[in-house]
Amino acid sequence: MVNTIRQLIRDTRSQKLRTLLTLFGMIWGTTAVSLLLAFGDGLHSQLAKSNAGMGNNVVIGWPSRTSIPFEGLGKARRIQMDDDDIELLRNKAYGLGAISSEYMEGFKLQYGAKVLSVSVSGVEPDFGEIRNLIPAEGSRFINPVDQQKRRRVAFLGDELAGQVFGDVTPVGQIIKLQGSPFTIIGVLIKKTQNSSYTGQDNGRVFIPSSTFKMMTGQKFISDFVFTASDIEKTKGLIKDVLRIMAAQHRFDPTDDEAISFWDTSDSAKFFQTFMLAFKIFLGAIGCLTLVVGGIGISNIMNVVVEERTREIGIKMALGAKPRIILGKFLLETLALTIVGGSIGILITLGICTVFPVLNLTEYVGDPNISTGAATATAVMLGIIGFISGYFPARTAANLDPVVAMKM
Amino acid sequence: MFLDGFFNSKKRYSSVENGNVIDLKGLTRVYVTGKIKVEALKGIDLEVRDGDMVAITGPSGSGKSTLMNLIGCLDTPTSGSYLLRGESVAGLSREELAGIRNRRVGFIFQNFNLLPQISAYENVEMPLLFSGLPRQKRRERVYELFNRVGLSDRMDHKPTELSGGQMQRVATARALAMDPDIILADEPTGNLDTSSGSDIMDLFQELWEQGRTVLVITHDPALARRAPRQVEIRDGLITRDSRT
Ligand SMILES: Nc1ncnc2c1ncn2[C@@H]1O[C@H](COP(=O)(O)OP(=O)(O)OP(=O)(O)O)[C@@H](O)[C@H]1O
Ligand SMILES: [Mg+2]
């Protein structure tokens, strides 16, 4: 074994340029592939993060005006929904996951000397889950007791919290909304949101809808949000919600303007398909790059075999076994592949570590070598090393000593 | 030397049979290149006894090298039988033939066939390396061999730094490394001047006197006469087999 390694080192040393070129090819290939995968991964999780900003597969419904005359009632009749309607839907809508009403208004917020005008949403406890409003550490979202007892508690968007409190920890602080004192119970974690319907969550205040109604006397909801128990059921659920409300408010159940819906699962589905296609594309490019690299190595090894034919012939004449010669060439390519591949992966790791410094995270995400990508690259490298080593090795071992020596 | 134990045990174990190291019957070799067939050997019958020295002569293209390559298991015959120490070589795998070349045959070539990028020492060490002999034993054996061919002071030189005669000595040392049954030399003096050619021939004669079996191809009638037996080949057939 020691001999083999020593011989290997000697052989590769005597072929400096060629070895260097092979290594370079392998390093280049691996770096390209793993970087591609790493950036693909980073971009994917960044896109997924922004996409989840609204919540997963949320449907938002706005009561609006009818567009079809129904049972003697004219069109353009205004539909208004209240908590009872939400309760009805909660009990009757088929395939419903969770639902929450949302009341909205602009309030005056006071904290010490600071006075701001903010958008306030009065929501139910489920709203947080539905809309993916994750509380930062040490804080919480509105819970059922807050709702039941009409507590004056508020959950703040992270940017607004920063604006109001600066370095002070917001949780436990008292602010005034329309003059009434509210205790801060939670702050939103920093999140990326690339779509919204009433401004970004990070600038809003969320309070229990019961408290909201008590303060404003509002009776009708601004909108309601809900999810299906299963993303596949979303379309049917929307129809069912419309049907229940049509019966309740006496409008045509096919009148889809009476309540307008925004189904975010549409874009989620598109997003999933897109990401899958994107990953397949990246993978295909990666594989091709590596295959091209492999062909390069194979070619180089072929030249090496050709160039060393005489040497191989002499060695076989002296009793070197073809199997040993085959093994030696395989080992040589494998070693080159592994060394080149490792260097390539190290370079990629380096780039992944340095990249966040460039502050491009928001646009392309941070490249990230996942275990899957690393394993895939490693396996590909192994296979390519083996295949590209095998054919030249076989050529070498199949030579007749007499023929080979005459070269 | 204690190494002799290792190498001689093999000799004792294999020197049985009728005393013929080489036994060829109706050996032919046809080269096929494209549509052209060249009958290089047309039926060779040859027996070589243990400890004999044979000079093979003949005009260029008569098939001498072809015969030598077959005897040395570097090539396989088209037909006919070849017994090496009573054992048939036909039908052996490439791996087994490599083993035979390693242990039983010492080949010396006209153009030396030394590897230029490694030292004389490493060149001689190669057959021992392929046989799997441990490092220390290899070392002792290589020293012994360089001593034998009188080149102990040139071991660390690259072949390119040696004269033709010296290169052929290194090649001879390499051929002797595994203490083979037969020593085959294909025009070993062909690339040497008269005096170093004569020296190499002296070396072969010494080896023969020590009891080895030696086959030498040569164009030089004077050198051929130094062997006790001369075989002449013409057009792929043995035309004369005589002893002096
Ligand atoms: N690899 C080969 N392919 C085709 N024909 C060959 C091959 N090797 C040898 N021959 C032919 O076989 C015949 C015998 O060749 P060989 O080399 O045995 O002759 P030789 O007696 O050694 O000649 P020389 O004295 O010139 O070395 C020649 O006609 C040669 O052209
Ligand atoms: Mg010849």
Side-chain angles (χ1 to χ4, degrees), chain B residues 29 39 45 50 59 61 70 82 87 91 101 106 112 119-120 127-128 161 190 195 208 211 217 232 241:
Chain B
R29 177 66 167 98
E39 254 186 289
D45 299 316
D50 212 354
L70 289 179
Y82 171 18
E87 290 168 45
R101 287 195 295 269
F112 322 125
S119 69
L128 302 166
E161 298 159 1
S195 90
W208 166 60
I217 295 177
E232 190 193 58
D241 189 345

Side-chain angles (χ1 to χ4, degrees), chain A residues 283-347:
Chain A
I285 288 193
C287 288
L288 277 179
T289 314
L290 272 182
V291 165
V292 169
I295 292 172
I297 293 193
S298 190
N299 263 330
I300 287 169
M301 287 315 283
N302 257 322
V303 176
V304 171
V305 167
E306 239 167 66
E307 221 173 55
R308 303 220 323 240
T309 304
R310 216 175 88 86
E311 180 191 328
I312 293 167
I314 293 171
K315 284 184 174 169
M316 288 209 281
L318 296 177
K321 296 216 160 40
R323 223 182 324 120
I324 306 276
I325 290 175
L326 194 127
K328 206 177 88 92
F329 272 84
L330 259 183
L331 206 71
E332 208 172 304
T333 15
L334 272 181
L336 282 179
T337 325
I338 290 169
V339 171
S342 311
I343 295 177
I345 287 178
L346 282 180
I347 291 176

Side-chain angles (χ1 to χ4, degrees), chain A residues 403 406, chain B residues 31-33 38-40 58-67 110 186-187 217 219:
Chain A
V403 180
K406 276 190 184 157
Chain B
Y31 291 108
V32 185
T33 20
V38 180
E39 254 186 289
S60 184
S62 56
K64 304 183 297 294
S65 295
T66 305
L67 177 62
Q110 177 175 359
D186 189 347
E187 294 192 52
I217 295 177
H219 274 300

Side-chain angles (χ1 to χ4, degrees), chain B residues 46-64:
Chain B
L46 182 70
E47 290 177 5
V48 178
R49 298 188 65 80
D50 212 354
D52 211 349
M53 180 168 182
V54 185
I56 297 171
T57 57
S60 184
S62 56
K64 304 183 297 294

